Amino acid sequence: MTQEKREGLLRQRLQRVHVTTGIAVSLFMYVAVFFGIWAIWLPYVQTWERPSRHFAMPSIETIDYSMMIDSVLSDPDYPTINGVHILFSGHMNDPALRISAQFAETIVFNPSTGQRVKDEGDQSQLAFFLNSMHYGRPFKILGYLVFGFVAVAVMFLIVGGLMLVYKVRYKNHLQSLQSRFSKWHRRLFLWLFAPFVIVTMTGALMNIGYLSSPPMAYIASKGETHDIWRLTMPILFPSEPIRERQNDEVPMLSVNDLILKTKAVAPEIDLQQITLYNWGDSSARAKIEGYDPYKPFLNGISNKPSVTLSGVDGNLIAQHKVMDKHWSGLFVDSVYFLHFLFGVNGLARTLIASIMAISAMAIGAGVLLYLEKQAKKFPKGVAPYHWMGRVSLAVMVGVFPAVGLLFVLQWILPFEMEERFLWQKGAFALLWLGTLTWSFYRLNAYEAAKELLKLGGILFMLAPFVHFYGSGFSPAELWRYGMGNILSVDVALFGLGAILWYIGGKLPLDREGFQAFGVKIL
């Protein structure tokens, strides 16, 4: 066999393996990316979904902490032996101040008024559920494994795709819809494959890496343990040194004074939380942690810069800077940064969400390329009816009205309703399954796509108005009272709904029209 024939055979095999693997995992990966985009906005959605968080976000320097903290610590039964953990207002976009301790329920305050607020707890899990769908949590270990192996397969596809682009001379100037789908599938992934590989790799590690870690943990520990966390936790999250209580009562500096002293020591840190140890005793100390925005990729997850001060006089006890971390901690934070996005602002989240949205479009272009090839097998004038096309329609388009219903029901169902979120998830699942039934029922897939897009558009555009009514705040009041972060979610939901409605209106009703439409816009 000549070298040319061997090269041709290799290209042919690469192409077949790429197509087969891609179609097998594309819909799972689309679901992971789709819900991953919602997970990027988790801090904003979880504030939007809770009535207890509908108040302005104050500056942490202007809050009277003593009024709230003293009311908690004055309870002699409150467990303080392992420290009292306080999350500042603004942490993960949450305007509330949260006080927690081991073996105690978290207490939530409105820091502007100093009043306790009733947290919705498990009655409101919209953001948590959207994030869980991103990595298969609702399906337990089966979901972890499936989504984990899908992530591995996608890395294989990216490597194979790069080899194909290198070895095959694709023609980008052809005018057929098939060639347009092929061109944009390649181009979009070529532009974005670097961040996409990082996010996919870390997702695979979290889903199947930890599940399959016991053998390696056993080998690394020379037979001492199968638990990977027992080996890694002391390095990534070292325990605080224990200081014996002196069993005396002395006045403490206020948290406001401690914040000012921390700002003087480490002005570059965005403060997020404080932990009080032995509070009220002469051995008291306060550890204030945060995020250094000047060193992204190196802190925010396992590596948190901190300042530890004496609770009595505010003297510096210890300081941990970003680069003081063990190299393994710096590596972990740099790898996981793009996946978790801890500490980053809305602009950075918008950038990463845009990258993921374009990646979802690239996956869609790949699926449409395959379906366009299958459609050619049908006679001219006959509407294509292929099972993969119908399933893809339900998964990739039907997910929009299903998620839109989640947002609408969030403010329709009473928060005191028994098993409230179970009903919400059930409605989501039924509607998504209903879109699958509808996709197979409709002979004209283009008509079904228009209907699903318009239904999704209606639900997303309806969600903000249901929120305004249910929360009791108009858009003007949300803006006037400093709740722009909540109003931004309403604007985004309405904008998404308008886009879906517009696309649903523009989409043609037949294959010939769809081909002309696709060639025109691509």
Side-chain angles (χ1 to χ4, degrees), residues 123-178:
Q123 290 294 88
S124 184
Q125 303 180 51
L126 175 59
F128 173 77
F129 178 70
L130 292 173
N131 183 47
S132 299
M133 285 293 294
H134 165 56
Y135 57 94
R137 182 189 176 104
F139 308 102
K140 308 297 181 184
I141 190 169
L142 177 62
Y144 295 142
L145 291 174
V146 169
F147 278 74
F149 282 112
V150 164
V152 173
V154 168
M155 289 189 288
F156 170 78
L157 284 170
I158 291 173
V159 173
L162 292 174
M163 292 177 64
L164 281 171
V165 170
Y166 176 74
K167 290 182 172 294
V168 179
R169 295 183 179 275
Y170 290 100
K171 298 178 181 180
N172 293 323
H173 60 277
L174 299 179
Q175 296 301 310
S176 68
L177 184 58
Q178 180 179 319

Side-chain angles (χ1 to χ4, degrees), residues 43-120:
Y44 293 84
V45 175
Q46 67 185 5
T47 303
W48 177 88
E49 69 175 281
R50 296 173 181 266
S52 64
R53 301 307 198 268
H54 279 53
F55 48 81
M57 188 178 301
S59 171
I60 65 171
E61 289 88 358
T62 61
I63 297 171
D64 183 4
Y65 293 96
S66 298
M67 176 173 56
M68 294 173 283
I69 296 172
D70 291 347
S71 67
V72 175
L73 299 185
S74 61
D75 182 358
D77 296 326
Y78 194 78
T80 61
I81 188 170
N82 291 320
V84 178
H85 192 61
I86 302 168
L87 290 175
F88 292 140
S89 175
H91 179 59
M92 293 295 288
N93 204 54
D94 192 336
L97 181 134
R98 289 164 284 170
I99 301 177
S100 61
Q102 194 173 16
F103 311 119
E105 185 178 351
T106 299
I107 301 173
V108 182
F109 287 90
N110 179 342
S112 298
T113 63
Q115 299 297 314
R116 291 193 188 191
V117 296
K118 184 180 179 181
D119 187 57
E120 292 79 11

Side-chain angles (χ1 to χ4, degrees), residues 176-476:
S176 68
L177 184 58
Q178 180 179 319
S179 67
R180 296 297 179 90
F181 285 144
S182 176
K183 178 182 75 174
W184 285 109
H185 177 65
R186 295 193 311 273
R187 280 189 176 180
L188 293 178
F189 270 131
L190 277 174
W191 293 339
L192 303 174
F193 81 91
F196 193 70
V197 163
I198 295 173
V199 173
T200 305
M201 178 184 66
T202 52
L205 178 60
M206 286 185 288
N207 268 39
I208 60 176
Y210 297 143
L211 288 174
S212 59
S213 63
M216 292 303 297
Y218 186 80
I219 295 172
S221 65
K222 298 181 180 179
E224 291 184 9
T225 181
H226 292 86
D227 185 4
I228 188 66
W229 292 111
R230 184 176 169 186
L231 300 178
T232 58
M233 287 293 282
I235 298 174
L236 296 179
F237 303 97
S239 301
E240 283 294 308
I242 299 175
R243 296 184 68 184
E244 294 293 333
R245 292 183 66 93
Q246 302 301 312
N247 296 320
D248 52 4
E249 289 191 16
V250 296
M252 298 284 101
L253 282 180
S254 69
V255 172
N256 297 77
D257 291 333
L258 293 172
I259 288 174
L260 292 176
K261 289 182 178 293
T262 301
K263 282 291 188 181
V265 174
E268 74 280 2
I269 298 178
D270 292 337
L271 305 183
Q272 297 176 338
Q273 56 194 16
I274 181 172
T275 306
L276 309 177
Y277 298 96
N278 298 347
W279 205 244
D281 190 85
S282 60
S283 63
R285 68 190 191 281
K287 182 180 181 181
I288 304 179
E289 300 173 282
Y291 172 75
D292 187 348
Y294 300 102
K295 295 183 176 66
F297 290 91
L298 297 176
N299 72 124
I301 302 171
S302 69
N303 186 21
K304 288 183 177 290
S306 64
V307 174
T308 303
L309 304 174
S310 167
V312 178
D313 52 20
N315 287 336
L316 180 65
I317 296 175
Q319 181 179 4
H320 172 77
K321 297 181 180 180
V322 172
M323 301 309 295
D324 294 337
K325 186 74 171 179
H326 188 271
W327 68 266
S328 59
L330 295 174
F331 174 76
V332 166
D333 277 48
S334 63
V335 170
Y336 283 105
F337 181 83
L338 283 178
H339 212 117
F340 287 114
L341 298 177
F342 286 164
V344 302
N345 57 24
L347 182 62
R349 290 181 183 276
T350 302
L351 175 62
I352 302 301
S354 301
I355 291 175
M356 292 298 104
I358 295 172
S359 299
M361 294 177 189
I363 295 172
V367 173
L368 288 171
L369 171 61
Y370 172 80
L371 294 177
E372 184 64 20
K373 290 180 179 179
Q374 298 301 312
K376 288 185 175 181
K377 299 178 182 179
F378 290 82
K380 190 174 182 180
V382 177
Y385 194 99
H386 190 275
W387 71 268
M388 182 63 187
R390 304 303 166 134
V391 173
S392 301
L393 176 60
V395 171
M396 304 179 83
V397 179
V399 69
F400 283 101
V403 172
L405 182 62
L406 275 177
F407 278 89
V408 171
L409 291 179
Q410 178 63 24
W411 287 94
I412 288 181
L413 298 179
F415 282 91
E416 64 275 6
M417 181 179 179
E418 188 76 17
E419 298 290 353
R420 178 182 185 275
F421 200 69
L422 181 61
W423 288 96
Q424 202 170 347
K425 290 189 293 185
F428 161 82
L430 286 174
L431 181 54
W432 203 1
L433 287 173
T435 64
L436 178 64
T437 304
W438 192 251
S439 299
F440 275 94
Y441 170 75
R442 278 290 195 190
L443 291 178
N444 189 335
Y446 304 104
E447 188 175 0
K450 286 175 68 72
E451 292 164 345
L452 294 179
L453 285 168
K454 287 189 173 183
L455 176 60
I458 291 172
L459 289 171
F460 275 111
M461 286 191 289
L462 182 62
F465 296 100
V466 176
H467 169 240
F468 298 145
Y469 178 80
S471 66
F473 291 95
S474 68

